[in-house]
Amino acid sequence: MTTSTSSKKILVNDCTLRDGMHALGHQYSVEQMVAVARKLDEAKVDIVEVSHGDGLQGNSFNYGFSAHTEREYIEAVRAELKYARLAALLLPGIGTRADIDEAKAMGVDTIRVATHCTEADVARQHIEHGRKLGLDTVGFLMMAHMTPTAELVRQAKLMESYGAHCVYVTDSAGALLMEETREKVGALREALECQVGFHNHNNLGLGVANTIVAIEAGADRVDGSVAGMGAGAGNCPLEVLIAVCERTGIATGLELYPLIDCADQIVRPLQRRPVQTDGNALMLGYAGVYSSFLLHTERAAERFGVDPRDILVELGRRGMVGGQEDMILDVAMELKSR
Amino acid sequence: MTTSTSSKKILVNDCTLRDGMHALGHQYSVEQMVAVARKLDEAKVDIVEVSHGDGLQGNSFNYGFSAHTEREYIEAVRAELKYARLAALLLPGIGTRADIDEAKAMGVDTIRVATHCTEADVARQHIEHGRKLGLDTVGFLMMAHMTPTAELVRQAKLMESYGAHCVYVTDSAGALLMEETREKVGALREALECQVGFHNHNNLGLGVANTIVAIEAGADRVDGSVAGMGAGAGNCPLEVLIAVCERTGIATGLELYPLIDCADQIVRPLQRRPVQTDGNALMLGYAGVYSSFLLHTERAAERFGVDPRDILVELGRRGMVGGQEDMILDVAMELKSR
């Protein structure tokens, strides 16, 4: 299966400094970001993403205040990158087109516009705007496990029609099984002219496997984070992915040892809460819940004295998606009063 | 692919109290073993394995002394199990037939006889003896990535001919890719009348994925450890595997929550060194080195002031296998003097 993919260079997008913000409650210091960015650039990562975990303007009461402003983070990392392109994430409704203008002015090359997997239409103006500005423009269909493949393809075609250079199957809950990943990525690859991407979380321990499956199914870009640094059980751990790609004969062009050094010496020591598939992170994947709900849920569980697993199962049952973070407290309160 | 396997009940063998010994330098207390065994039994694990990490009589200078005798561990766990069968591991040359007699007398139900993947013939007398004693008798072909599939099948047929009820593809280095797992397990399933098993390590982050692939390819028994507690990056994490099996429709009969509680509350707090796919553990899979060499290698690297990754790459290049632990120091010394 790998022979068909072995000649294509896969683009690698690192999320350590964006999705990884979730794992730290958005508290990276600028120096920490710079140290990570230096190693990523040395490892020849194609694209380095920097934003609040919930994208540009996520720095807020509802999504959590970050230690520094977006400008401070982005400008510091921009100055560090010699090889890699710089990306930022934007969730329409949290960020606006004006934020894309500002991102471009700060030297961002790639804008990634993320919506729930059935709401591509709200990304229209942002994707069109990114294209107009000459940015590498990506559409991100989040919580992709929640919608049938045919509908996901329809949504992806909308994003392509707005001008996206690449549309992602985004497994925000880390809930996709391998066959589901193969089916969804393969269907997008078949239906689209533009690139297809894949982003996931390790909540079911399938982070690396599903990314390999996605590449086999035709993905052109894949995401990972050093030491998995991301929401929930973390993203696909980038250094592990690159080792497996090397053994599999998938061409990425990335260098393994700087990534391992970055994971062991810089990123893992920063993790206040180990980023791993422990019980609550596993339950995200099992219940199909947005990975960035993990820390919110653990705080709510402690505050109301309820089992975080029960909160997660209930959030999954109700089909809660990103933007409904305030419902976590409501669910915890309800469970408490039962 | 999963529909064909969904009706078959998969037998689950837990290795937390055997392979997990490696992760603790063989220092479980009896009370810790009992606490884990109680949860495994509550979760309806089919088979619970208890032995020194390197099998019966591994308690020695070369393989590391354990905190208690085998008898103390086995008898304490035996008294705790109401549902699960009790297994012990034996590596011919470390343990002997007399140890199988003794294991049976202590209430062991399953004897697992492990050899390097090209040395099934040294297991003949032990497998025959296990059968003669009426034990559930398993052959374990270790470092399965090191030999071509046709030769692995030939070795497995030898173990079957000696009387094994089940023969394992054992990925001791955590080095198998998914297609390799599918090929090897599928070939054994095709060639043998007896059961086929699969045991692996998470060194390439594929612990859960490869176990699912093995089940799809026809495995009848699979191994896992709670929180992955095992050598190297650990075994397939059992609680994660069971969650994925449930979502996939694979019947195991195991209960998820007692496994999660055991992982979060009992096993992970015991880990002095987190059992995870960090740099050195990743290098085991990348270089194809026996997982239980990890701690030996880290100690040798520190003693001689060399990069543990360089030792692991050299051990892989030389094709070192279990039993050659003394070569680790030699390699470290050589690298130091270069």
Side-chain angles (χ1 to χ4, degrees):
Chain A
M1 277 187 177
T2 54
T3 44
S4 63
T5 59
S6 60
S7 55
K8 181 169 87 174
K9 149 85 177 129
I10 303 295
L11 280 175
V12 174
N13 188 112
D14 175 87
C15 300
T16 313
L17 304 178
R18 197 279 302 164
D19 213 320
M21 285 281 266
H22 288 298
L24 271 183
H26 315 281
Q27 299 304 305
Y28 274 115
S29 73
V30 168
E31 294 70 29
Q32 289 163 347
M33 279 218 181
V34 166
V36 171
R38 190 173 298 147
K39 281 290 181 189
L40 295 174
D41 203 56
E42 181 189 338
K44 299 209 163 17
V45 168
D46 299 289
I47 307 172
V48 172
E49 187 175 56
V50 179
S51 306
H52 185 279
D54 296 289
L56 298 170
Q57 299 292 350
N59 183 3
S60 64
F61 178 79
N62 202 25
Y63 297 101
F65 291 107
S66 51
H68 297 270
T69 65
E70 237 133 36
R71 177 173 293 278
E72 289 174 293
Y73 288 130
I74 289 175
E75 290 184 346
V77 171
R78 172 74 281 171
E80 202 57 48
L81 299 181
K82 289 165 184 61
Y83 175 89
R85 283 189 272 165
L86 180 62
L89 180 75
L90 180 129
L91 278 65
I94 302 179
T96 65
R97 279 178 297 181
D99 297 306
I100 305 179
D101 292 326
E102 207 174 326
K104 181 178 160 74
M106 289 188 281
V108 165
D109 309 292
T110 297
I111 187 75
R112 310 213 298 174
V113 183
T115 74
H116 182 64
C117 57
T118 55
E119 297 179 355
D121 58 339
V122 308
R124 175 173 202 148
Q125 53 179 323
H126 309 83
I127 290 175
E128 286 177 352
H129 195 63
R131 276 304 291 256
K132 204 180 76 189
L133 295 177
L135 294 169
D136 173 44
T137 304
V138 174
F140 224 59
L141 290 167
M142 297 191 293
M143 300 289 278
H145 75 286
M146 288 181 76
T147 199
T149 298
E151 174 61 14
L152 194 71
V153 166
R154 207 182 66 80
Q155 298 283 334
K157 282 182 143 171
L158 285 178
M159 283 184 159
E160 183 180 43
S161 75
Y162 307 149
H165 293 102
C166 179
V167 179
Y168 267 67
V169 175
T170 303
D171 183 16
S172 318
L176 286 180
L177 301 172
M178 289 182 278
E179 286 312 305
E180 294 167 342
T181 299
R182 194 181 304 279
E183 178 186 304
K184 285 185 194 305
V185 172
L188 259 65
R189 182 58 288 153
E190 185 120 325
L192 303 182
E193 296 294 323
C194 72
Q195 291 184 352
V196 173
F198 184 69
H199 170 103
N200 76 350
H201 288 262
N202 205 26
N203 303 339
L204 292 178
L206 299 172
V208 175
N210 272 335
T211 305
I212 296 292
V213 166
I215 292 170
E216 289 174 355
D220 306 283
R221 295 194 193 193
V222 295
D223 286 14
S225 292
V226 172
M229 193 71 170
N235 298 121
C236 171
L238 184 56
E239 68 285 4
V240 183
L241 176 67
I242 297 308
V244 175
C245 283
E246 269 196 44
R247 279 185 70 92
T248 308
I250 295 169
T252 68
L254 268 66
E255 285 176 29
L256 182 59
Y257 277 23
L259 295 175
I260 289 180
D261 290 340
C262 187
D264 286 355
Q265 295 163 22
I266 305 176
V267 175
R268 218 174 264 111
L270 288 177
Q271 296 172 352
R272 301 163 189 185
R273 177 194 191 287
V275 173
Q276 61 191 5
T277 308
D278 55 19
N280 295 339
L282 173 59
M283 289 300 295
L284 293 167
Y286 183 76
V289 172
Y290 196 47
S291 295
S292 69
F293 282 12
L294 178 61
L295 297 192
H296 297 286
T297 299
E298 289 180 344
R299 281 194 292 265
E302 192 169 356
R303 182 164 157 200
F304 291 97
V306 297
D307 189 331
R309 296 182 295 200
D310 294 339
I311 299 177
L312 291 169
V313 167
E314 183 61 22
L315 291 170
R317 205 187 57 78
R318 295 191 189 182
M320 293 289 140
V321 301
Q324 296 182 294
E325 279 77 356
D326 52 337
M327 293 298 299
I328 299 171
L329 280 177
D330 292 350
V331 166
M333 246 184 293
E334 274 185 49
L335 289 172
K336 174 70 177 173
S337 65
R338 273 184 196 171
Chain B
M1 279 187 178
T2 54
T3 43
S4 64
T5 60
S6 60
S7 55
K8 182 170 85 175
K9 148 85 176 126
I10 303 295
L11 279 175
V12 174
N13 188 113
D14 175 87
C15 300
T16 312
L17 304 179
R18 197 280 302 167
D19 214 321
M21 285 281 267
H22 287 299
L24 271 183
H26 314 282
Q27 300 302 304
Y28 274 115
S29 72
V30 169
E31 295 68 32
Q32 289 163 348
M33 279 220 178
V34 165
V36 171
R38 191 173 296 148
K39 280 291 182 191
L40 295 174
D41 203 56
E42 182 188 338
K44 300 210 165 10
V45 169
D46 298 290
I47 306 172
V48 171
E49 188 175 56
V50 179
S51 308
H52 185 280
D54 296 289
L56 297 171
Q57 299 291 349
N59 181 7
S60 62
F61 179 79
N62 202 26
Y63 297 102
F65 291 106
S66 51
H68 296 271
T69 65
E70 237 133 38
R71 178 174 291 277
E72 288 174 293
Y73 288 130
I74 290 176
E75 290 184 346
V77 171
R78 173 73 280 171
E80 202 56 50
L81 300 181
K82 288 166 185 58
Y83 176 88
R85 283 189 272 165
L86 181 62
L89 180 74
L90 181 130
L91 278 67
I94 303 179
T96 65
R97 280 178 297 180
D99 296 307
I100 305 180
D101 292 325
E102 206 174 330
K104 179 173 161 77
M106 289 187 282
V108 164
D109 308 293
T110 297
I111 187 75
R112 310 213 298 172
V113 183
T115 74
H116 182 63
C117 57
T118 55
E119 297 178 355
D121 57 341
V122 307
R124 174 171 202 152
Q125 52 180 324
H126 310 82
I127 291 176
E128 286 177 350
H129 195 63
R131 275 305 290 258
K132 204 180 76 186
L133 294 178
L135 294 170
D136 174 46
T137 304
V138 174
F140 224 59
L141 291 167
M142 298 191 293
M143 300 290 277
H145 75 285
M146 289 181 75
T147 199
T149 298
E151 174 61 12
L152 194 69
V153 167
R154 205 181 68 78
Q155 298 282 334
K157 282 182 143 172
L158 285 178
M159 283 184 159
E160 184 181 42
S161 76
Y162 307 150
H165 293 101
C166 180
V167 180
Y168 267 67
V169 175
T170 303
D171 183 15
S172 318
L176 286 179
L177 302 171
M178 290 182 279
E179 285 312 305
E180 294 167 341
T181 299
R182 195 182 303 281
E183 178 186 305
K184 286 186 193 304
V185 173
L188 260 63
R189 181 59 288 151
E190 186 121 326
L192 303 182
E193 296 294 321
C194 71
Q195 291 185 353
V196 172
F198 184 70
H199 170 103
N200 76 350
H201 288 262
N202 204 27
N203 302 339
L204 292 177
L206 299 173
V208 175
N210 272 336
T211 306
I212 295 292
V213 166
I215 292 170
E216 290 175 355
D220 306 282
R221 297 193 192 193
V222 296
D223 287 12
S225 292
V226 171
M229 192 71 172
N235 299 119
C236 171
L238 184 57
E239 68 285 4
V240 183
L241 175 67
I242 297 307
V244 175
C245 282
E246 269 194 45
R247 279 185 70 92
T248 309
I250 295 168
T252 68
L254 268 65
E255 286 177 29
L256 181 60
Y257 277 24
L259 294 174
I260 290 179
D261 290 339
C262 187
D264 287 356
Q265 294 163 22
I266 305 177
V267 174
R268 218 174 265 110
L270 289 177
Q271 296 172 351
R272 301 165 188 182
R273 175 193 191 289
V275 173
Q276 60 190 4
T277 309
D278 55 19
N280 295 340
L282 173 59
M283 289 300 293
L284 292 168
Y286 183 77
V289 172
Y290 196 46
S291 295
S292 68
F293 282 12
L294 179 60
L295 297 192
H296 298 285
T297 299
E298 290 181 344
R299 281 194 293 266
E302 192 169 354
R303 180 162 158 200
F304 291 97
V306 298
D307 189 330
R309 295 181 296 201
D310 294 339
I311 300 178
L312 290 170
V313 166
E314 184 60 22
L315 291 171
R317 205 187 58 74
R318 296 191 189 183
M320 292 290 140
V321 300
Q324 297 181 295
E325 279 76 357
D326 52 335
M327 293 298 298
I328 300 171
L329 280 176
D330 292 350
V331 166
M333 246 183 296
E334 274 186 49
L335 289 172
K336 175 68 178 177
S337 65
R338 271 185 197 168

